[in-house]
Amino acid sequence: MDGPCDPIHMQRALIDNWALFAGILMLMVANGLMMTLLTIRGSELGFSSTVVGIMQAGYPAGALIGTVIAPRMIEGSGHVRAFAALASLCSISAIIHLLTDDPYTWTAMRVLAGFCFPGLYVITESWLNGEVENHQRAQVLSVYFFAQFGGQAFGTALIGVPGASVTVLFGTVSILISLSIVPLLLTAGDPPDYEVPERMPMRSLFRISPIAVIGSILSGATMGALFASGPLYGLDLGMTRGQAAGISVALTLAGAVAQYPAAYVADRFDRRGALIGLSAIGCLVVVYSLLQSGEAALTLRFAIMSAACVPVYSVCLAHANDQLRRSQVVAAGGAMAFSLNLGLFFGVFSGPAIMDLMGRTGLMLYLLLLFGLTLLITLLRRVQRESPEETGKVVTVGSFGQPQTAYWSAETMVAEGQEDDAGESSE
């Protein structure tokens, strides 16, 4: 007899939720395209790296607000209305980028996009989370994860399409965001009931797990600096628009692929050992980049740096959950996402600004500082305190510009823990 996790049940879960997957895929393609296009186009318009950094920092600034307000919008207006409102505002922001080349307006629109996109992700995740059974949640989350990274990488790659004008690219962003509403409007099922999840104060989480909070902030700062400065670094070396976009594609895909071996090591051995290993790899690659100037293996070097920093947040999230009661896990997810966005805001602004002040060498020294701080702080915590007992698996989460799935990831861990308890009690 087939179990609840057999391929037929899994296929049915995916078919039943096709509208949500289609919507998130279009959103990720649009967001990936717009995120890198703004950096490259801003540089072409003569914006300094500092101005580009300030403009791009509007996204995580808006996200800090959006992740708090969006749940209340869902509770007050419902999933479909909230999604339609936020998607419409996002589509407008893409068009305004096309109509003006004023950095102040671009920054304001980036804040608007940062407010809307995370809100759209929260709506999609909460709807999907309410529709999926506990035994299917981890598998569906994996499909959702691939839609995130695959969509963002594909959207970024569109910048390199020969003959694609700025008008066509910005228009594509607006069209995709508008189209993402259609599958949800056509879905036959009703959205699930929704309650605003509780949020744990970041101070409380810091007292429980300092390394989880500090690691999330440093991971966000490193990711932000890499994703915001990578294309600028390539353009500064004389790369074409398509080649610079290729760096962003490599950052996205490498960060996605690296999450699985990093999770394996963190689950089988030690969370903090995985953090130490990732940070050490990042330091080594940055040192090599300082010694090796020019374009030689540049995209590969950036890809390895991404592989060393993107999984850090997932491991920190699991490390925090190891020290929490099961009733605290979901509430702590919001504090972890806030920590990451705080780091992203700082990194997205500071990376390009340092590159403006100190050139490409300055950016590498800054990345070395961030990787080095993560390594040093983790080593100190490992000496001061023994590792807690591991209570769940590392769950993959998104990077810059992607859903962090903080609440869903937490609920997946809780569900898996409940199934484990049920299995033990039945033995």
Side-chain angles (χ1 to χ4, degrees):
M1 185 174 179
D2 291 334
C5 291
D6 67 81
I8 294 178
H9 284 80
M10 183 61 186
Q11 184 179 19
R12 173 53 57 187
L14 297 179
I15 292 174
D16 289 345
N17 295 286
W18 71 270
L20 298 172
F21 285 111
I24 196 64
L25 184 61
M26 284 186 276
L27 286 175
M28 290 313 306
V29 173
N31 201 10
L33 173 55
M34 184 157 68
M35 183 172 64
T36 306
L37 177 60
L38 289 174
T39 296
I40 295 175
R41 181 57 180 164
S43 180
E44 291 174 347
L45 290 172
F47 295 179
S48 68
S49 294
T50 301
V51 171
V52 170
I54 293 172
M55 180 265 295
Q56 289 286 27
Y59 186 95
L64 290 170
I65 304 169
T67 51
V68 175
I69 295 179
R72 291 177 172 79
M73 290 181 63
I74 303 171
E75 190 176 49
S77 303
H79 288 75
V80 175
R81 289 179 180 176
F83 191 98
L86 292 175
S88 297
L89 289 173
C90 252
S91 181
I92 291 170
S93 73
I95 294 299
I96 292 178
H97 282 300
L98 179 61
L99 297 178
T100 179
D101 57 6
D102 172 36
Y104 298 103
T105 305
W106 278 33
T107 302
M109 291 303 100
R110 203 67 186 124
V111 173
L112 179 61
F115 171 80
C116 293
F117 268 110
L120 293 169
Y121 300 150
V122 169
I123 293 167
T124 307
E125 290 170 15
S126 63
W127 193 338
L128 193 55
N129 186 48
E131 293 292 317
V132 175
E133 300 292 335
N134 280 349
H135 58 261
Q136 298 170 327
R137 187 172 278 116
Q139 293 170 295
V140 173
L141 182 59
S142 296
V143 177
Y144 183 75
F145 174 76
F146 278 109
Q148 293 174 33
F149 279 96
Q152 182 171 334
F154 180 74
T156 305
L158 291 177
I159 297 173
V161 173
S165 66
V166 172
T167 302
V168 170
L169 293 173
F170 276 120
T172 300
V173 172
S174 180
I175 290 169
L176 286 170
I177 295 171
S178 299
L179 282 176
S180 69
I181 307 172
V182 176
L184 272 73
L185 293 175
L186 294 178
T187 186
D190 294 325
D193 295 331
Y194 181 81
E195 293 182 4
V196 177
E198 295 182 8
R199 296 177 68 93
M200 176 183 289
M202 198 160 66
R203 182 183 303 174
S204 301
L205 181 59
F206 182 81
R207 285 198 295 265
I208 297 171
S209 180
I211 191 62
V213 175
I214 296 172
S216 297
I217 294 173
L218 289 173
S219 171
T222 312
M223 268 193 278
L226 270 175
F227 278 79
S229 305
L232 293 172
Y233 194 102
L235 292 171
D236 192 57
L237 282 172
M239 285 184 167
T240 64
R241 180 193 293 179
Q243 290 172 326
I247 293 177
S248 294
V249 173
L251 290 170
T252 302
L253 294 179
V257 172
Q259 298 226 32
Y260 291 96
Y264 179 86
V265 172
D267 287 336
R268 299 301 186 277
F269 301 100
D270 178 62
R271 312 286 200 216
R272 288 182 289 190
L275 293 176
I276 290 168
L278 289 167
S279 302
I281 291 171
C283 288
L284 290 173
V285 177
V286 174
V287 169
Y288 177 80
S289 295
L290 285 168
L291 299 175
Q292 173 65 57
S293 59
E295 293 186 42
L298 177 64
T299 301
L300 177 61
R301 281 183 272 143
F302 270 104
I304 298 174
M305 291 179 211
S306 177
C309 79
V310 171
V312 167
Y313 175 67
S314 302
V315 178
C316 286
L317 183 61
H319 182 67
N321 290 333
D322 291 340
Q323 301 168 78
L324 296 168
R325 296 190 303 274
R326 192 168 294 163
S327 60
Q328 296 177 306
V329 168
V330 175
M336 289 294 291
F338 186 88
S339 301
L340 180 69
N341 278 309
L342 197 63
L344 284 169
F345 173 77
F346 182 75
V348 170
F349 163 71
S350 58
I354 288 174
M355 190 171 161
D356 233 3
L357 290 173
M358 302 173 61
R360 297 191 299 272
T361 300
L363 175 64
M364 289 300 157
L365 289 172
Y366 180 54
L367 291 172
L368 182 61
L369 173 65
L370 293 173
F371 278 120
L373 281 174
T374 306
L375 175 61
L376 179 61
I377 293 171
T378 309
L379 283 170
L380 288 174
R381 289 296 296 174
R382 196 174 192 184
V383 171
Q384 293 171 352
R385 183 178 177 183
E386 293 184 2
S387 299
E389 181 182 354
E390 295 178 7
T391 59
K393 296 180 180 179
V394 176
V395 179
T396 52
V397 293
S399 62
F400 179 44
Q402 298 177 352
Q404 267 72 62
T405 60
Y407 292 114
W408 193 9
S409 299
E411 291 181 3
T412 299
M413 294 177 186
V414 171
E416 289 178 344
Q418 291 172 342
E419 290 178 358
D420 291 341
D421 291 346
E424 291 174 3
S425 63
S426 65
E427 289 178 355

